[in-house]
Short mmCIF file of all heavy atoms in Angstrom, two decimals:
data_model
loop_
_atom_site.label_atom_id
_atom_site.label_comp_id
_atom_site.label_asym_id
_atom_site.label_seq_id
_atom_site.Cartn_x
_atom_site.Cartn_y
_atom_site.Cartn_z
N ARG A 34 -7.27 9.77 6.36
CA ARG A 34 -7.69 10.82 5.43
C ARG A 34 -9.01 11.41 5.89
O ARG A 34 -9.24 12.60 5.78
CB ARG A 34 -7.80 10.23 4.03
CG ARG A 34 -8.21 11.27 2.98
CD ARG A 34 -8.46 10.62 1.67
NE ARG A 34 -7.31 9.85 1.24
CZ ARG A 34 -6.27 10.38 0.63
NH1 ARG A 34 -6.26 11.68 0.38
NH2 ARG A 34 -5.27 9.63 0.26
N VAL A 48 -5.58 12.00 -6.03
CA VAL A 48 -5.25 10.83 -6.84
C VAL A 48 -5.90 10.87 -8.20
O VAL A 48 -5.40 10.27 -9.13
CB VAL A 48 -5.69 9.53 -6.10
CG1 VAL A 48 -4.86 9.37 -4.85
CG2 VAL A 48 -7.18 9.56 -5.76
N VAL A 235 -23.32 95.96 -17.24
CA VAL A 235 -24.09 94.95 -17.98
C VAL A 235 -24.13 93.68 -17.14
O VAL A 235 -23.07 93.21 -16.67
CB VAL A 235 -23.47 94.65 -19.35
CG1 VAL A 235 -24.25 93.53 -20.03
CG2 VAL A 235 -23.48 95.88 -20.22
N LEU A 272 -25.69 28.97 -13.29
CA LEU A 272 -24.87 28.09 -14.14
C LEU A 272 -23.76 27.43 -13.33
O LEU A 272 -23.48 26.24 -13.50
CB LEU A 272 -24.28 28.90 -15.29
CG LEU A 272 -25.27 29.40 -16.35
CD1 LEU A 272 -24.56 30.27 -17.38
CD2 LEU A 272 -25.95 28.23 -17.04
N TYR A 293 -13.28 7.45 -3.73
CA TYR A 293 -11.84 7.51 -3.59
C TYR A 293 -11.25 6.14 -3.33
O TYR A 293 -10.22 5.77 -3.91
CB TYR A 293 -11.46 8.47 -2.46
CG TYR A 293 -10.05 8.24 -1.98
CD1 TYR A 293 -8.96 8.61 -2.76
CD2 TYR A 293 -9.81 7.62 -0.75
CE1 TYR A 293 -7.67 8.37 -2.33
CE2 TYR A 293 -8.52 7.37 -0.33
CZ TYR A 293 -7.44 7.76 -1.12
OH TYR A 293 -6.16 7.50 -0.68
N GLY A 314 9.44 18.63 -7.82
CA GLY A 314 10.05 17.39 -8.25
C GLY A 314 10.08 16.31 -7.20
O GLY A 314 10.75 15.27 -7.39
N LEU A 329 11.94 1.32 -7.36
CA LEU A 329 12.06 2.40 -6.39
C LEU A 329 12.33 1.83 -5.00
O LEU A 329 11.86 0.75 -4.64
CB LEU A 329 10.76 3.22 -6.36
CG LEU A 329 10.39 3.95 -7.67
CD1 LEU A 329 9.05 4.65 -7.52
CD2 LEU A 329 11.47 4.96 -8.04
N VAL A 364 15.56 2.04 -18.83
CA VAL A 364 15.69 1.95 -17.37
C VAL A 364 16.01 0.51 -17.04
O VAL A 364 15.16 -0.38 -17.17
CB VAL A 364 14.40 2.41 -16.66
CG1 VAL A 364 14.57 2.32 -15.14
CG2 VAL A 364 14.04 3.83 -17.08
N ALA A 370 8.00 3.45 -22.17
CA ALA A 370 7.35 4.55 -22.88
C ALA A 370 6.70 5.45 -21.84
O ALA A 370 5.82 5.03 -21.10
CB ALA A 370 6.31 4.03 -23.86
N ARG A 390 4.95 2.62 -19.37
CA ARG A 390 4.51 1.42 -20.04
C ARG A 390 5.74 0.67 -20.57
O ARG A 390 6.59 1.26 -21.24
CB ARG A 390 3.56 1.76 -21.19
CG ARG A 390 2.95 0.53 -21.86
CD ARG A 390 1.88 0.93 -22.87
NE ARG A 390 2.43 1.66 -24.00
CZ ARG A 390 2.30 2.96 -24.18
NH1 ARG A 390 1.65 3.68 -23.29
NH2 ARG A 390 2.84 3.56 -25.23
N GLU A 430 21.29 11.17 -62.55
CA GLU A 430 21.83 11.85 -61.38
C GLU A 430 20.79 11.95 -60.27
O GLU A 430 21.11 11.80 -59.08
CB GLU A 430 22.31 13.25 -61.78
CG GLU A 430 23.54 13.24 -62.68
CD GLU A 430 23.84 14.62 -63.22
OE1 GLU A 430 23.05 15.55 -62.92
OE2 GLU A 430 24.86 14.77 -63.92
N GLU A 459 22.76 -1.36 -78.26
CA GLU A 459 23.19 -2.60 -78.89
C GLU A 459 23.91 -3.45 -77.87
O GLU A 459 24.77 -2.96 -77.12
CB GLU A 459 24.12 -2.32 -80.08
CG GLU A 459 23.47 -1.55 -81.21
CD GLU A 459 24.42 -1.32 -82.35
OE1 GLU A 459 25.57 -1.82 -82.25
OE2 GLU A 459 24.04 -0.65 -83.32
N PRO A 506 26.85 -10.00 -51.55
CA PRO A 506 26.89 -9.52 -50.16
C PRO A 506 28.31 -9.23 -49.68
O PRO A 506 28.49 -8.33 -48.86
CB PRO A 506 26.23 -10.65 -49.39
CG PRO A 506 26.38 -11.85 -50.25
CD PRO A 506 26.36 -11.37 -51.65
N ARG A 541 10.47 -1.89 -70.87
CA ARG A 541 9.86 -2.87 -71.76
C ARG A 541 10.86 -3.99 -72.04
O ARG A 541 11.35 -4.63 -71.11
CB ARG A 541 9.36 -2.20 -73.04
CG ARG A 541 8.35 -1.08 -72.77
CD ARG A 541 7.85 -0.46 -74.06
NE ARG A 541 8.92 -0.01 -74.92
CZ ARG A 541 9.56 1.13 -74.77
NH1 ARG A 541 9.24 1.93 -73.79
NH2 ARG A 541 10.53 1.46 -75.59
N VAL A 548 22.42 -0.11 -62.66
CA VAL A 548 22.60 0.77 -61.51
C VAL A 548 23.27 -0.04 -60.41
O VAL A 548 22.81 -1.16 -60.09
CB VAL A 548 21.26 1.35 -61.01
CG1 VAL A 548 21.48 2.27 -59.82
CG2 VAL A 548 20.54 2.09 -62.13
N GLU A 568 15.37 -3.13 -56.75
CA GLU A 568 14.69 -3.41 -58.02
C GLU A 568 13.49 -2.49 -58.23
O GLU A 568 13.26 -1.98 -59.33
CB GLU A 568 14.25 -4.88 -58.04
CG GLU A 568 15.40 -5.86 -58.20
CD GLU A 568 14.91 -7.30 -58.18
OE1 GLU A 568 13.93 -7.58 -57.44
OE2 GLU A 568 15.46 -8.13 -58.90
N ARG A 586 15.67 11.48 -78.60
CA ARG A 586 15.65 11.09 -80.00
C ARG A 586 14.74 12.00 -80.82
O ARG A 586 15.12 12.47 -81.89
CB ARG A 586 15.19 9.63 -80.11
CG ARG A 586 15.11 9.13 -81.56
CD ARG A 586 14.62 7.69 -81.59
NE ARG A 586 13.29 7.58 -81.01
CZ ARG A 586 12.64 6.43 -80.83
NH1 ARG A 586 13.23 5.29 -81.17
NH2 ARG A 586 11.45 6.41 -80.31
N ASP A 628 14.83 34.56 -93.21
CA ASP A 628 15.35 34.45 -94.57
C ASP A 628 15.81 35.81 -95.05
O ASP A 628 15.27 36.86 -94.63
CB ASP A 628 14.27 33.91 -95.53
CG ASP A 628 14.59 32.49 -95.97
OD1 ASP A 628 15.78 32.21 -96.20
OD2 ASP A 628 13.66 31.67 -96.06
N PRO A 671 4.37 43.33 -103.35
CA PRO A 671 4.57 44.13 -102.13
C PRO A 671 4.42 43.24 -100.89
O PRO A 671 3.81 42.17 -100.93
CB PRO A 671 3.48 45.20 -102.21
CG PRO A 671 3.05 45.22 -103.63
CD PRO A 671 3.26 43.84 -104.17
N ALA A 684 -4.38 28.85 -94.24
CA ALA A 684 -5.78 28.45 -94.10
C ALA A 684 -6.04 27.14 -94.84
O ALA A 684 -6.74 26.25 -94.34
CB ALA A 684 -6.70 29.55 -94.61
N ALA A 697 -4.14 19.35 -85.06
CA ALA A 697 -4.40 20.73 -84.68
C ALA A 697 -4.01 21.66 -85.83
O ALA A 697 -3.02 21.44 -86.52
CB ALA A 697 -3.60 21.09 -83.44
N PRO A 752 -7.47 42.59 -94.27
CA PRO A 752 -6.30 42.81 -95.16
C PRO A 752 -5.09 43.25 -94.33
O PRO A 752 -5.21 43.74 -93.21
CB PRO A 752 -6.78 43.93 -96.09
CG PRO A 752 -7.77 44.69 -95.25
CD PRO A 752 -8.46 43.67 -94.38
N THR A 790 16.96 48.99 -74.40
CA THR A 790 18.14 49.34 -73.61
C THR A 790 19.38 48.61 -74.14
O THR A 790 20.47 49.20 -74.26
CB THR A 790 17.91 48.98 -72.14
OG1 THR A 790 16.75 49.67 -71.66
CG2 THR A 790 19.10 49.34 -71.29
N ASP A 808 23.65 38.77 -75.13
CA ASP A 808 24.27 38.80 -73.81
C ASP A 808 23.34 39.42 -72.77
O ASP A 808 23.34 39.01 -71.61
CB ASP A 808 25.58 39.60 -73.85
CG ASP A 808 26.66 38.86 -74.61
OD1 ASP A 808 26.49 37.64 -74.84
OD2 ASP A 808 27.65 39.49 -75.01
N ARG A 825 22.25 46.34 -91.51
CA ARG A 825 22.66 47.74 -91.62
C ARG A 825 22.57 48.15 -93.09
O ARG A 825 23.11 47.48 -93.99
CB ARG A 825 24.08 47.92 -91.11
CG ARG A 825 24.54 49.39 -91.09
CD ARG A 825 25.87 49.54 -90.38
NE ARG A 825 26.90 48.72 -91.00
CZ ARG A 825 28.12 48.57 -90.48
NH1 ARG A 825 28.42 49.15 -89.34
NH2 ARG A 825 29.01 47.82 -91.09
N LYS A 944 4.51 48.92 -114.56
CA LYS A 944 5.33 47.73 -114.39
C LYS A 944 6.77 48.05 -114.72
O LYS A 944 7.09 49.11 -115.29
CB LYS A 944 4.84 46.61 -115.30
CG LYS A 944 5.05 46.83 -116.79
CD LYS A 944 4.61 45.64 -117.59
CE LYS A 944 4.85 45.85 -119.10
NZ LYS A 944 4.07 46.96 -119.63
N GLN A 950 22.84 41.17 -115.54
CA GLN A 950 24.01 40.56 -116.15
C GLN A 950 25.14 40.53 -115.12
O GLN A 950 25.35 41.51 -114.40
CB GLN A 950 24.48 41.37 -117.37
CG GLN A 950 23.44 41.54 -118.45
CD GLN A 950 23.96 42.44 -119.55
OE1 GLN A 950 24.78 42.01 -120.38
NE2 GLN A 950 23.50 43.68 -119.56
#
Side-chain angles (χ1 to χ4, degrees):
R34 182 187 304 277
V48 294
V235 176
L272 292 176
Y293 161 72
L329 297 177
V364 180
R390 186 173 66 255
E430 291 171 357
E459 297 181 2
R541 302 181 307 279
V548 180
E568 288 179 326
R586 179 181 61 184
D628 251 321
T790 302
D808 290 345
R825 185 171 58 187
K944 68 176 182 297
Q950 302 176 76

